[in-house]
Amino acid sequence: MTPKRSGEVVPSAPKRKKAVMCLMEKIRVLDKLRSGMSCSAVGREFNVNESTIRYIKKKEKEIRRSVREAAPESAKVTSIVREEAMEKMEKRLNLWIHEMTTDKKGVVDSIVVRLKAKEIYGHVTQGQKNVKPFSASAGWLARFKRRYGVNNVKLAGEASSADREAAEEFKKHLLSVIQDKGYVEEQVFNADETGLFYKDVGKRTYITQMACKAPGFKSFQDYATLLLCTNAKGDFKCKPLMVYRAQNPQALKGKSVNHMPVHWRWNKKAWMTSSWFHNCFVPEVECYLQGRNLAFKVLLILDNAPVHCCEELKNAHPNVEVLFMPPNTTSLIQPLDQGIIKAFKAHYTRELYSKGFQALESNKETTMMDYWKSVTIRNVIDYVGTAWGSIKQATINTCWKNVWPDCVQNFEGFEGVAESIKNSVENIMHIARQISGEGFDDMKEEDVEEILAEKAVEPTNEDLDEMAKQGIGVGSDEDGNESQPRTSRIDPLTAAKISEWNSALERIFNDMIECDPMLDRSLKFKRLTSTAFAPYAEMLKDLRQKAKQTRLTQLFEPVWEGKLPTPSTSHERQTPEVELPNVDMLPSSSSA
């Protein structure tokens, strides 16, 4: 008789956890297979079944096509092969969002994004048969934001209370830094970039109406980017940085770019370069502070736009501390956005109109269209210098009230920033009526306000095609695109980088001691090199200490009264890029 089975449950072998590989990992698998490795060997290396590797190999053509069409951000998180048209559309949409928000440092409405997505989808599928319908649903938008890490797309009407709270927390943090480090108004600076359509005379004027009808007209051809910087006291304005799209414009032929009222740079896409910090900002500010008999220690406040190369600037100069404002708070607390940039543009537009009226008065046969066509980048540089020099100290100082109220002074006879800008607007309207003509005779306040408003250069679908093909955006610097002597890109000096050097030196020391028959020679080399490396070892210690401190983003939590909260253990583990070695691993000269 067959014995009864025992009631005990025999434990089964643990199931292998299902591995979900992103497209970039699948590309690595395919590269391994191409190098000659077998499917079983690749499966063991990636800890997946051999059947999974064979399936990936079978789909090689589709996977490589999908990665080629997708942006790197998407390929790192997407695990399935998606429709080619969808990949193309999302890649271009991501570029479009970047272009529309970088200049304005703001957000775009989700409804606008969904409409743009449908427009781009229609463009990339134009002429194709059996095109799948695409509705740009809210669910798709949520998945798109996760795939590309997009944070500057908000739902329609979404409250900005979080932005206001972040602004208040940054304000508290800034005041504590100023108090702890002993900064004074002359030593605290704010820099911000702005786009300038330097021939914009108003969209209702006959000049703009006629220009738009001309074949080949593109508004961005009359566009430059400016970086403006000033201190909290308002008594010092750095020379503006102007970035133009062309390398050698005819109007500047024979002119020295080092002797102009702006720092001249050029880039095919007219964007900012990080060389401004080292080659323009630091020398100017150091000279200014020396003239005031003040210590060369500076606090520079910037927004967190990608163009500012946040990691590079954190430890870029020992005498300059850089603070980055939280996202979407510039309109609330950034001094230059509180009226300085708008006042500058008002002065610039007044100068543009005034020169036009003078040209009409000096020659009765000259028309406003003749003057408008004659304006070159050389004239623009002159107008920019005049406009920036016209900004009063009272205007600059008052615009710091939202972020550092204690630094604001009372200026006798100053009517206020808003009133000052209003006077400039009225002055522009008065000159426009003197110029006369359609759009000038009846120019209204809202027409001038539209000229002064921040506007982004919206790329066309054809522009997006070219950018996607080249893998660049407006913010990309291309090799050979600067007319001045090229300053090589500065890699951020991080704790991980110094730790890497440290480990490399240790391997060299061990190898030399092992291979060199003359022990005293290898030990002498080790001793001298360790002494020379001492400053970096000290910097590694400091960076390691800073890595344990609270990041600014951690401050936007429960209210803290003037003291930084203690960082949690989880944050400490996440901060370093790699595990930091002991800074004492290199022997000192005495121990060697």
Side-chain angles (χ1 to χ4, degrees):
M1 191 172 177
T2 306
K4 293 183 179 181
R5 291 184 178 182
S6 171
E8 297 180 2
V9 178
V10 179
S12 59
K15 290 185 178 181
R16 177 183 293 181
K17 187 177 179 180
K18 184 178 180 180
V20 179
M21 305 178 73
C22 69
L23 292 178
M24 292 303 293
E25 289 178 319
K26 292 178 180 179
I27 289 293
R28 289 174 54 207
V29 168
L30 294 171
D31 290 341
K32 293 283 186 182
L33 293 173
R34 279 192 174 185
S35 68
M37 291 182 65
S38 64
C39 292
S40 57
V42 175
R44 288 192 298 271
E45 181 172 335
F46 286 86
N47 195 29
V48 296
N49 292 327
E50 183 179 344
S51 59
T52 301
I53 302 299
R54 294 188 181 278
Y55 181 79
I56 292 174
K57 183 178 180 180
K58 181 181 178 181
K59 296 291 183 178
E60 178 175 7
K61 183 178 179 180
E62 292 88 343
I63 292 172
R64 291 192 181 276
R65 188 268 309 159
S66 184
V67 172
R68 184 174 61 252
E69 295 297 341
E73 301 93 329
S74 174
K76 290 178 181 178
V77 297
T78 304
S79 59
I80 60 174
V81 176
R82 305 172 67 235
E83 291 289 331
E84 181 177 1
M86 288 295 295
E87 293 286 13
K88 286 184 175 181
M89 180 274 294
E90 291 189 355
K91 185 176 184 178
R92 286 157 177 75
L93 182 65
N94 184 49
L95 289 169
W96 179 84
I97 292 173
H98 180 269
E99 302 306 310
M100 297 303 294
T101 56
T102 300
D103 237 9
K104 298 186 292 183
K105 302 170 289 298
V107 297
V108 287
D109 188 89
S110 61
I111 296 178
V112 176
V113 173
R114 291 165 65 182
L115 290 173
K116 188 65 180 180
K118 294 181 72 173
E119 177 191 329
I120 297 175
Y121 186 78
H123 171 71
V124 299
T125 57
Q126 189 175 9
Q128 297 181 11
K129 297 180 180 179
N130 303 322
V131 177
K132 290 186 177 181
F134 171 62
S135 61
S137 64
W140 162 82
L141 179 60
R143 294 188 293 274
F144 166 77
K145 290 170 66 176
R146 284 197 300 269
R147 278 192 292 271
Y148 284 85
V150 176
N151 299 315
N152 44 8
V153 175
K154 288 193 174 184
L155 298 176
E158 186 174 358
S160 59
S161 59
D163 298 338
R164 289 192 291 270
E165 291 174 4
E168 285 300 315
E169 294 299 335
F170 176 81
K171 179 179 173 181
K172 293 177 184 179
H173 177 62
L174 172 65
L175 297 179
S176 68
V177 170
I178 291 173
Q179 184 176 3
D180 294 343
K181 303 291 181 63
Y183 292 112
V184 295
E185 291 90 342
E186 292 88 346
Q187 297 170 324
V188 182
F189 287 78
N190 176 225
D192 191 24
E193 67 279 346
T194 183
L196 180 67
F197 289 88
Y198 54 79
K199 294 178 74 170
D200 187 2
V201 292
K203 64 182 181 181
R204 287 202 311 113
T205 63
Y206 76 92
I207 301 293
T208 303
Q209 297 294 328
M210 292 176 64
C212 291
K213 295 177 182 178
F217 172 77
K218 292 183 179 180
S219 62
F220 64 77
Q221 289 180 338
D222 300 325
Y223 179 86
T225 307
L226 293 172
L227 182 67
L228 305 177
C229 181
T230 183
N231 66 355
K233 192 174 181 65
D235 66 338
F236 180 72
K237 301 187 289 285
C238 294
K239 183 190 290 190
L241 173 71
M242 174 179 280
V243 185
Y244 191 54
R245 59 184 172 80
Q247 179 177 8
N248 297 308
Q250 183 66 26
L252 296 182
K253 186 176 181 180
K255 303 297 179 184
S256 172
V257 296
N258 297 321
H259 297 86
M260 293 196 292
V262 299
H263 293 293
W264 173 262
R265 299 291 185 271
W266 85 278
N267 182 285
K268 186 176 181 181
K269 292 295 183 178
W271 194 238
M272 313 309 299
T273 58
S274 59
S275 65
W276 167 81
F277 178 84
H278 296 281
N279 300 332
C280 306
F281 175 74
V282 170
E284 285 187 49
V285 172
E286 184 176 10
C287 181
Y288 159 73
L289 292 176
Q290 286 178 352
R292 295 293 187 277
N293 293 320
L294 292 170
F296 177 40
K297 64 173 185 177
V298 176
L299 178 63
L300 176 61
I301 303 171
L302 300 172
D303 59 52
N304 67 341
V307 71
H308 290 151
C309 309
C310 299
E311 286 299 324
E312 290 185 11
L313 295 181
K314 283 182 180 178
N315 301 294
H317 196 283
N319 298 97
V320 181
E321 181 178 1
V322 183
L323 286 184
F324 294 95
M325 288 178 287
N328 308 324
T329 59
T330 57
S331 61
L332 302 173
I333 57 176
Q334 176 151 258
L336 279 157
D337 280 350
Q338 304 310 306
I340 299 175
I341 290 178
K342 189 174 182 180
F344 161 76
K345 290 188 175 182
H347 286 297
Y348 176 87
T349 305
R350 185 186 63 187
E351 191 72 11
L352 181 67
Y353 272 51
S354 297
K355 295 299 184 183
F357 179 67
Q358 291 174 17
L360 299 181
E361 286 291 295
S362 61
N363 188 345
K364 297 301 180 181
E365 295 182 0
T366 300
T367 65
M368 189 61 181
M369 178 61 80
D370 294 332
Y371 163 74
W372 185 83
K373 289 180 178 179
S374 70
V375 174
T376 66
I377 193 64
R378 179 179 173 183
N379 303 118
V380 172
I381 291 172
D382 181 27
Y383 301 165
V384 166
T386 302
W388 187 232
S390 301
I391 306 294
K392 297 178 180 178
Q393 178 181 355
T395 299
I396 296 172
N397 179 254
T398 304
C399 287
W400 284 76
K401 63 181 180 181
N402 287 359
V403 70
W404 189 10
D406 294 341
C407 80
V408 178
Q409 308 171 33
N410 291 322
F411 293 88
E412 185 177 352
F414 181 62
E415 65 275 18
V417 177
E419 191 65 28
S420 177
I421 295 175
K422 184 178 179 181
N423 292 338
S424 297
V425 170
E426 292 176 352
N427 197 346
I428 294 169
M429 293 165 57
H430 175 70
I431 300 172
R433 296 188 186 102
Q434 289 180 304
I435 293 173
S436 72
E438 183 182 348
F440 291 102
D441 289 327
D442 59 345
M443 181 163 286
K444 301 175 182 178
E445 185 175 341
E446 50 265 32
D447 295 326
V448 181
E449 289 288 344
E450 191 273 336
I451 297 175
L452 306 184
E454 283 286 335
K455 297 184 286 291
V457 184
E458 181 172 5
T460 65
N461 288 330
E462 290 73 21
D463 293 332
L464 294 174
D465 289 340
E466 185 65 22
M467 291 158 60
K469 181 180 178 181
Q470 298 180 10
I472 62 171
V474 164
S476 299
D477 290 336
E478 300 173 32
D479 291 340
N481 271 3
E482 291 185 75
S483 60
Q484 73 282 2
R486 186 171 181 84
T487 301
S488 59
R489 183 176 178 85
I490 301 171
D491 292 328
L493 193 54
T494 62
K497 178 63 69 176
I498 301 177
S499 173
E500 180 182 338
W501 298 342
N502 201 350
S503 301
L505 282 176
E506 187 67 11
R507 289 193 297 270
I508 293 173
F509 294 157
N510 294 335
D511 191 52
M512 292 182 72
I513 293 173
E514 182 70 21
C515 300
D516 192 346
M518 299 178 64
L519 182 60
D520 57 343
R521 181 169 59 189
S522 60
L523 290 176
K524 181 179 179 180
F525 174 83
K526 182 177 181 179
R527 181 172 64 252
L528 294 175
T529 306
S530 299
T531 302
F533 193 81
Y536 293 100
E538 187 64 27
M539 184 178 290
L540 178 59
K541 181 187 257 185
D542 293 341
L543 290 174
R544 189 179 184 185
Q545 184 64 31
K546 287 181 181 179
K548 296 180 180 179
Q549 297 175 356
T550 305
R551 284 188 173 184
L552 185 58
T553 52
Q554 293 174 249
L555 303 179
F556 307 144
E557 292 176 350
V559 177
W560 47 278
E561 299 181 358
K563 296 183 179 180
L564 299 177
T566 304
S568 65
T569 306
S570 61
H571 281 105
E572 291 179 9
R573 287 196 299 266
Q574 294 173 4
T575 300
E577 297 178 17
V578 298
E579 183 179 354
L580 301 181
N582 191 336
V583 296
D584 297 323
M585 69 184 299
L586 288 176
S588 63
S589 56
S590 58
S591 63

